[in-house]
Amino acid sequence: MIDRPLTLMAVHAHPDDEATGTGGVLARYAAEGIRTVLVTCTDGGCGDGPGGVKPGDPGHDPAAVALMRRQELEASCDVLKISDLEMLDYADSGMMGWPSNDAPGSFWQTPVQEGAARLAELMRHYRPDVVVTYDENGFYGHPDHIQAHRITMAALEMTALTPKVYWTTMPRSMMQRFGEIMREFHEDMPEPDPAEAAAMAEIGLPDDEITTWVDTTAFSGQKFDALAAHASQGENIFFLKMGTERFGELMGMETFVRVQDATGAAVPENDLFAGLR
């Protein structure tokens, strides 16, 4: 028996990432009495500003955007009943290839061992039983997602903890379905060029390679509301356009690939805490 609560730690890159890929599991496990810890690595300053002003455009103030996004993140955490929010507060690096990638202090420019040491301290404090982050490509190639993956895996090595470790993913069948839905909502959406289409086809995993399928249907309303809390980024959050009912139908399953395990729990599994309770 352990004298502390079972603990889930999710390591994400930006405010709003917590809701997109893990909002369901964060809400579900909080409801089950599990301590949920969210680590957000950047300040989100490369997000849209008030009125949808884009990074680099006149009137975009990264510091003001970061403050606004912090408030939205706290609101999202309230919706998902997240126990503990920790922010590393690195500067948002922007999308791959943006000038902000090279800015001093950006997350992308931070030495992995430096970021990992800070995260390792949080791991030693919270002693998570389950850690969730992105795969080595950050799911879709965003530099801050890739860096979050790198510091998480390095921090796990530093701490010599042996929790269950998962990378977020999506089954290719679901990716195909999302593509169909996006075309349904945007009838004038042009067909992607072959290179872009090929890159999209590589996102996610074949269904039979996914180890963990967690049903979060009962918490899809909380997940939708958590995304909606990030109102300043609404233009970029396609899922909000679906409405709550359609969203619940399509977003009620969150999927992962298990990459570290000390429990021997069989896969495929339907619970991140299989073998721990």
Side-chain angles (χ1 to χ4, degrees):
M1 297 294 290
I2 56 175
D3 59 358
R4 57 184 175 78
L6 284 171
T7 299
L8 166 64
M9 175 180 282
V11 183
H12 281 291
H14 311 98
D16 77 25
D17 290 332
E18 81 290 340
T20 306
T22 57
V25 292
L26 287 166
R28 170 179 163 168
Y29 291 122
E32 293 178 6
I34 288 171
R35 180 169 61 178
T36 52
V37 180
L38 170 63
V39 180
T40 301
C41 296
T42 80
D43 61 10
C46 285
D48 288 357
V53 62
K54 303 296 182 185
D57 287 350
H60 186 277
D61 180 351
V65 171
L67 177 60
M68 174 176 62
R69 298 195 71 184
R70 169 67 184 248
Q71 294 167 344
E72 292 175 341
L73 178 60
E74 291 172 349
S76 172
C77 288
D78 286 344
V79 170
L80 297 173
K81 309 300 182 188
I82 289 170
S83 309
D84 299 271
L85 170 63
E86 299 283 354
M87 295 195 71
L88 300 185
D89 269 332
Y90 289 109
D92 190 340
S93 310
M95 299 296 285
M96 191 67 83
W98 286 13
S100 48
N101 294 174
D102 301 320
S106 72
F107 192 34
W108 188 237
Q109 290 299 313
T110 298
V112 169
Q113 293 303 300
E114 176 190 318
R118 294 182 62 196
L119 182 57
E121 283 303 305
L122 294 175
M123 288 181 174
R124 293 186 187 103
H125 174 71
Y126 289 107
R127 300 193 65 81
D129 302 280
V130 173
V131 174
V132 176
T133 192
Y134 315 101
D135 63 20
E136 62 270 24
N137 191 45
F139 185 61
Y140 70 99
H142 193 295
D144 287 331
H145 291 226
I146 294 170
Q147 190 77 327
H149 162 86
R150 290 173 176 170
I151 73 164
T152 301
M153 302 313 290
L156 287 163
E157 288 188 16
M158 288 179 178
T159 58
L161 295 173
T162 56
K164 300 181 79 175
V165 180
Y166 294 88
W167 296 343
T168 57
T169 191
M170 192 171 289
R172 295 264 169 84
S173 61
M174 190 178 295
M175 289 296 298
Q176 182 178 356
R177 181 69 180 127
F178 282 147
E180 294 168 357
I181 292 167
M182 288 183 72
R183 284 189 288 276
E184 175 186 329
F185 278 83
H186 301 280
E187 295 179 358
D188 58 348
M189 187 171 72
E191 288 294 323
D193 64 53
E196 184 179 339
M200 287 294 292
E202 293 300 312
I203 293 177
L205 289 173
D207 292 35
D208 61 1
E209 292 183 19
I210 291 173
T211 63
T212 311
W213 304 70
V214 184
D215 185 355
T216 61
T217 305
F219 303 93
S220 57
Q222 277 176 263
K223 182 172 178 173
F224 184 92
D225 290 345
L227 277 169
H230 297 280
S232 68
Q233 309 306 304
E235 181 182 330
N236 302 315
I237 303 176
F238 163 75
F239 304 112
L240 294 175
K241 299 177 173 66
M242 297 180 183
T244 53
E245 185 174 344
R246 190 77 176 277
F247 180 89
E249 294 171 1
L250 294 166
M251 301 294 286
M253 184 72 70
E254 291 184 351
T255 52
F256 308 85
V257 58
R258 193 175 81 190
V259 295
Q260 185 171 314
D261 172 64
T263 69
V267 292
E269 59 188 359
N270 59 12
D271 179 10
L272 297 178
F273 288 84
L276 291 169
R277 55 179 179 170

